[in-house]
Amino acid sequence: MILLRAGLFSLATLLIGAFSAEAVAAPARVIILRHGEKGGGETLCSVGKERAEALAAQYLGKVDGASLLFDRPPAAFLAMTLHTLETATPIVDAWDMDLKTDPLMLEPAKNDHSFNAKLNLMNQRVANDLLTNPKWHGKTVVLVWEHYHIASEELESQFPGQQVTLRQLLHLDQLPDVPKTWPNPNYDYFWILHYDQPDATVPSSFRMMKQVFTAPYNNLPMNDWGQPENLPPGSGCT
């Protein structure tokens, strides 16, 4: 079991009043990534744990006051399940920041209609807050997320007439070249959204960025989008 950091903030607290917010003030940038590779139960496998360390060391962690993806501390790191918490923990530790999360993550993750409905509500609260809360205006927010709730035609079909994925909720479906589904074998990409106006509800640009690690993490899988992931024997990954 993963221990929650002391002083952990709740997404429920963070998002109080989100639906009543009248202001529109989009962040400057939203960075979305999937958690690391999973093992049995609610923890990451050895590859996923190493990916979390690599993300902190080479992309998202504080390195000489900055990182490869931003030149100042992000406004917040958000996580939604135990796998995303475990992935994000080395990153927030590098910045000495708290992680915004939700009590729902204490429930064992299940790919069933009931649990997905709960995650859908969290997704809706988070997306609404990102696009309406002035506290994010001009800042960067990082979402360490479940791929099924980033983009999934299957999930969207299970909840017709609703907006349930970030692809829908952040209006990425209005941009060209945004995948409709995040492939199951891919743990090694960022989705980077830019907003050029504070009242924007649709990103001005979307970019997919592959995670390419150097030593000592260059053994991590770095498969292209939609291609199989080659896992080392004995990794314990499921």
Side-chain angles (χ1 to χ4, degrees), residues 81-195:
T81 61
L82 287 172
H83 295 119
T84 63
L85 169 65
E86 189 174 4
T87 303
T89 295
I91 302 166
V92 296
D93 284 348
W95 290 100
D96 194 25
M97 292 176 65
D98 288 308
L99 182 64
K100 313 300 192 278
T101 186
D102 191 280
L104 178 61
M105 72 164 36
L106 297 177
E107 296 187 26
K110 301 183 291 292
N111 188 13
D112 61 31
H113 194 276
S114 176
F115 189 75
N116 282 328
K118 295 178 183 179
L119 290 182
N120 292 346
L121 289 174
M122 185 195 303
N123 244 13
Q124 291 160 0
R125 292 195 303 268
V126 168
N128 183 75
D129 191 64
L130 285 174
L131 297 180
T132 61
N133 194 331
K135 73 180 294 181
W136 307 128
H137 174 48
K139 299 178 181 178
T140 296
V141 180
V142 181
L143 277 63
V144 187
W145 232 237
E146 294 283 347
H147 77 299
Y148 205 50
H149 283 80
I150 300 173
S152 170
E153 286 188 288
E154 181 181 5
L155 181 65
E156 293 171 6
S157 69
Q158 292 175 15
F159 295 88
Q162 300 183 45
Q163 293 188 328
V164 295
T165 61
L166 293 181
R167 188 186 76 89
Q168 295 172 313
L169 292 161
L170 297 179
H171 310 302
L172 305 184
D173 51 359
Q174 298 184 33
L175 299 177
D177 303 322
V178 176
K180 294 182 178 180
T181 292
W182 188 296
N184 191 55
N186 283 112
Y187 294 83
D188 56 335
Y189 275 80
F190 301 105
W191 281 14
I192 303 174
L193 321 180
H194 286 273
Y195 296 83

